Amino acid sequence: MLTLALSGLRGRWTAFVGSCVALALGVGLLAVMGLGLASTFDAPERAPQRFAASPVVVIGTDTLTVGRVSHELFHPHPVDAALLRELRALGEVATDGRPDAVGVDADPEAVRRVVGDRGRVLTGVERRQADPEPERDAEALVTVNALLGTAGGVTAFVSVFVVASTFAFAVALRRREFGLLRTAGATPGQVRRALLAEAALVGAAASAAGCALGAWGAPELARVLVDGGLAPEWFTVRDAAWPYHVAFWTGLSVAVTGAWAAARRAGRTGPVEALREADVDSGVLPLGRRLLGTALLLTGAALLGWTLLTDPSDLLKRKTYTTQPMLLITGVALLAPLLVRPVARALPLPGATGMLIRENAAAGLRRTAAVAAPVLVTVALAGSLLGSAGTVSAAGAAEARRQTAATHVVTGEDLRPVSVPGAALSATASTGVYVRDGETAVVRYEARAVADPAAFAGLARLPVLAGDIRDLDDGSIVISQEIAHSESGRRAVGDRLDVWLGDGRPVTLRIAAVLATGTGDNGPYVTAAHARAATVDRIDVRLPPGTDPAVLRATGGTVTTADAWAAPATGPQTRLGLLVVLGIALLYTAISLANTLVMATSIRGRELRSLRLAGATRLQVMAVVVGETLLAVGVGAVLGAAVAAVDLAGLGAALASLSAPVTISVPWATMGAALGGCALVAVAAALPCAARTGR
């Protein structure tokens, strides 16, 4: 079997080059993403800076602990004057003008006895927690981890999808060879073992090359992430063994699995049947593939429907709308041979040449489906990923603009109040509350503290489901529907709600109003009396006609129109990350298209020469080949657009159920560019091979 497999590889090395390159690239990318992920698990330990010369640091209470649950406070407590006096009795105390922490040159145990539960005592590397933004390194790695996790998941999906389908198509093209082997006396088991041995040899070689490629590419990835602002300047790729193991064995498994189904079918086919089916595709969709494709489509649709009914806000999360299309894409791709004929006949192709192109595409279902599949992946991912991100961003922007009657918005830190004749101003500050959810859970919510409830009610246009925001006062709270329908039970207007404020104080407040969940930013509202440490960071202003907005500069903040303030904006880091993911998919698509078309066109010599003998000119033959290629690309584009449409429709339904603005954003330019790139690669691969084969 090994000798036969090696002979097959030598005789058909051109058919395996594309598969080998695609597999090596996939393994390399998986290794790169794995090495990058392994480097994001732990932030580097940095030496304390703020009180580097103090062996002991005392900070005020900065966490809220309820049972076994702890949360960071929105407004940490300072080190109070009484505790500071007691600490000075133990030794020299260093301060830097900020009341949240001090440094003590004293015995740590003595300091702990004095502090008790009035603060936290830090020694050694823990003293870093007193530095400004002590968690900035870990938070920076969260972004990198999310990006690499998403990119790695999409890479795995696309690589497995493309490589498996490429291997399966390469096997399907060798039906005549299998028929001859069966006629010569080869058993079904021998045919299967030969094919699997070929796949194992190619898979092992390509996976090893991919691991070497990953070792080279991982440091380059770190440099790109740092240069693009996606990772902190200190980010580097660390050595780890598990990414290489995962990448290598995944690549080998994909190669063998991709050939397995086709090998089983080839082994079951009789000699005469294989020779009869060698020229015209028939029975290209086995029952098992039909059942699997249908099951994946139904599962994807059921999950989408279930999420809409139970937790529609989950569809607005990046992790969901990134993975949601995968089931639908795979299901449609498995059923592609069944969909080729109706889609191809629906596309307008006039004249005799158009009829010939359409019939050739319908006769060569395997070839057409193999070309359409990678295009389907690229178009569907482009429409789903960028479309979902743009839709969520646009909906959030429209919601923010709809919720204020202001003409201008002032933003900044510690804004100063101003008085403008005839203007309406509402100042708010960032704060938060903690609400019990169930028996043991406590959920942390970002909130807004309202300085003047009457002025706030005059400008706010919040999506109120029950109650009235004009009833907000120092004894009440405005909550979201998410809090009202928590696991702790239904909460209605007028009920008393136990909460912890941003500084950890427990209070009981009356529910004044309940807001629709929306895109997720309709958090609780309290009065400034419940956020004493919060400073004003936003002022909504409705200026009378003819008033110069420059009068608002006295606040010390940035003045923008309400429309500009609420304009949708996808962060450059998010957009760059999505484009990286799409770039990976497009690269795979290019390799798969080129490889598939070279393999498929190389065996059409007799067919193309027959067209010449029937009177077709060389130019007409090339036109037919180009037309078939573009038709297959068009079929993939239609199927991919259908998947993207289903995903975006589900997202629109989720926004509607959350009482959020339904603003569907379709990335036409990106989808068009991806489709144009696919068409260009496909034609560039098919034409030279057709010209050489049809001589």
Side-chain angles (χ1 to χ4, degrees):
M1 284 300 106
L2 184 59
T3 302
L4 183 61
L6 290 173
S7 300
L9 291 178
R10 283 196 302 269
R12 293 182 171 271
W13 66 270
T14 55
F16 289 101
V17 167
S19 302
C20 190
V21 170
L23 185 57
L25 179 62
V27 171
L29 287 173
L30 287 176
V32 166
M33 299 304 170
L35 289 169
L37 279 174
S39 304
T40 64
F41 293 153
D42 297 304
E45 290 189 0
R46 296 181 180 269
Q49 299 176 7
R50 186 177 171 193
F51 294 106
S54 301
V56 183
V57 176
V58 177
I59 63 175
T61 302
D62 61 350
T63 57
L64 170 69
T65 301
V66 181
R68 297 182 179 179
V69 179
S70 293
H71 287 289
E72 180 183 353
L73 289 175
F74 286 92
H75 310 298
H77 293 196
V79 179
D80 61 70
L83 178 57
L84 188 58
R85 287 194 299 270
E86 295 178 41
L87 292 174
R88 285 197 171 106
L90 299 178
E92 184 179 353
V93 174
T95 63
D96 59 357
R98 293 172 52 192
D100 61 317
V102 297
V104 181
D105 188 8
D107 177 64
E109 295 304 321
V111 174
R112 288 190 176 91
R113 287 193 295 270
V114 169
V115 173
D117 59 359
R118 293 180 292 175
R120 293 173 57 204
V121 179
L122 309 175
T123 59
V125 295
E126 291 181 341
R127 293 174 296 164
R128 265 199 78 242
Q129 298 179 34
D131 292 338
E133 300 181 15
E135 301 298 327
R136 64 183 183 277
D137 289 345
E139 292 171 356
L141 288 182
V142 170
T143 302
V144 183
N145 184 280
L147 169 63
L148 294 180
T150 301
V154 174
T155 297
F157 169 75
V158 175
S159 61
V160 168
F161 182 90
V162 170
V163 173
S165 61
T166 301
F167 269 87
F169 181 63
V171 173
L173 291 180
R174 299 168 63 185
R175 286 168 294 164
R176 183 181 296 276
E177 174 187 337
F178 302 146
L180 293 174
L181 287 174
R182 293 299 312 281
T183 303
T187 65
Q190 288 175 322
V191 174
R192 286 195 295 266
R193 287 193 294 272
L195 289 175
L196 294 178
E198 289 178 1
L201 290 173
V202 173
S207 298
C211 288
L213 181 64
W216 170 84
E220 294 297 316
L221 171 68
R223 181 183 59 79
V224 170
L225 293 177
V226 172
D227 292 344
L230 297 173
E233 295 181 356
W234 46 262
F235 180 73
T236 57
V237 172
R238 307 173 190 174
D239 291 331
W242 67 262
Y244 293 109
H245 284 284
V246 171
F248 179 86
W249 295 111
T250 298
L252 184 58
S253 300
V254 167
V256 175
T257 304
W260 173 257
R264 290 189 60 200
R265 188 169 184 269
R268 289 198 303 264
T269 303
V272 177
E273 184 182 0
L275 292 176
R276 184 176 65 247
E277 290 185 352
D279 292 324
V280 179
D281 287 336
S282 62
V284 295
L285 202 62
L287 178 61
R289 181 169 173 173
R290 294 190 185 209
L291 293 176
L292 180 58
T294 303
L296 288 175
L297 279 180
L298 293 177
T299 301
L303 285 176
L304 181 62
W306 176 256
T307 308
L308 278 174
L309 292 175
T310 58
D311 186 12
S313 62
D314 191 53
L315 292 176
L316 276 60
K317 299 175 182 177
R318 184 173 62 179
K319 184 179 295 184
T320 301
Y321 66 67
T322 299
T323 58
Q324 182 78 29
M326 304 305 181
L327 287 175
L328 296 177
I329 291 174
T330 307
V332 172
L334 287 173
L335 298 176
L338 197 64
L339 303 173
V340 164
R341 283 195 178 100
V343 174
R345 286 171 179 161
L347 296 176
L349 292 173
T353 302
M355 181 186 68
L356 180 60
I357 291 172
R358 187 183 298 110
E359 293 306 317
N360 279 350
L365 288 179
R366 286 191 178 91
R367 179 178 67 248
T368 306
V371 173
V375 179
L376 156 67
V377 173
T378 302
V379 173
L381 286 179
S384 297
L385 296 186
L386 289 181
S388 296
T391 297
V392 172
S393 177
E399 182 180 59
R401 184 63 186 95
R402 191 172 68 179
Q403 291 182 4
T404 180
T407 59
H408 294 78
V409 177
V410 184
T411 55
E413 296 183 2
D414 200 8
L415 300 177
R416 299 184 294 272
V418 295
S419 177
V420 181
L425 295 90
S426 174
T428 58
S430 298
T431 185
V433 297
Y434 308 86
V435 183
R436 190 182 296 279
D437 187 13
E439 294 296 327
T440 59
V442 175
V443 182
R444 185 179 190 262
Y445 292 96
E446 294 185 358
R448 303 293 299 175
V450 177
D452 184 345
F456 172 74
L459 287 179
R461 300 292 183 267
L462 301 180
V464 178
L465 297 177
D468 195 327
I469 61 172
R470 290 175 294 185
D471 294 336
L472 178 64
D473 54 28
D474 290 347
S476 64
I477 184 174
V478 175
I479 64 173
S480 67
Q481 189 178 19
E482 180 182 359
I483 298 177
H485 296 170
S486 69
E487 293 184 6
S488 296
R490 296 272 178 165
R491 293 151 174 160
V493 172
D495 291 348
R496 311 292 291 182
L497 179 65
D498 295 328
V499 302
W500 290 266
L501 301 176
D503 57 6
R505 288 180 293 152
V507 295
T508 300
L509 301 174
R510 174 180 50 84
I511 298 176
V514 177
L515 307 179
T517 302
T519 60
D521 292 331
N522 296 334
Y525 289 84
V526 295
T527 62
H530 298 304
R532 299 168 185 167
T535 58
V536 174
D537 58 6
R538 172 181 157 189
I539 303 177
D540 289 18
V541 185
R542 184 172 59 206
L543 292 175
T547 303
D548 188 355
V551 299
L552 299 175
R553 294 175 184 169
T555 60
T558 301
V559 182
T560 58
T561 64
D563 291 336
W565 167 76
T570 300
Q573 295 179 343
T574 300
R575 185 168 183 82
L576 179 59
L578 291 176
L579 290 178
V580 167
V581 171
L582 291 179
I584 293 172
L586 186 58
L587 179 61
Y588 259 109
T589 297
I591 294 174
S592 177
L593 283 175
N595 187 43
T596 299
L597 285 166
V598 167
M599 288 190 298
T601 309
S602 63
I603 64 171
R604 299 180 66 187
R606 185 172 60 178
E607 174 190 347
L608 299 180
R609 288 191 292 271
S610 297
L611 285 175
R612 292 297 308 277
L613 292 173
T617 65
R618 184 179 181 84
L619 185 61
Q620 288 174 325
V621 172
M622 294 299 101
V624 169
V625 172
V626 171
E628 291 179 29
T629 302
L630 293 179
L631 178 61
V633 172
V635 170
V638 170
L639 296 178
V643 172
V646 171
D647 284 317
L648 293 180
L651 186 58
L655 290 170
S657 67
L658 295 169
S659 301
V662 181
T663 307
I664 302 298
S665 175
V666 181
W668 295 113
T670 303
M671 293 174 67
L675 180 58
C678 292
L680 182 62
V681 170
V683 171
L687 267 181
C689 190
R692 183 175 62 255
T693 303
R695 287 175 186 154

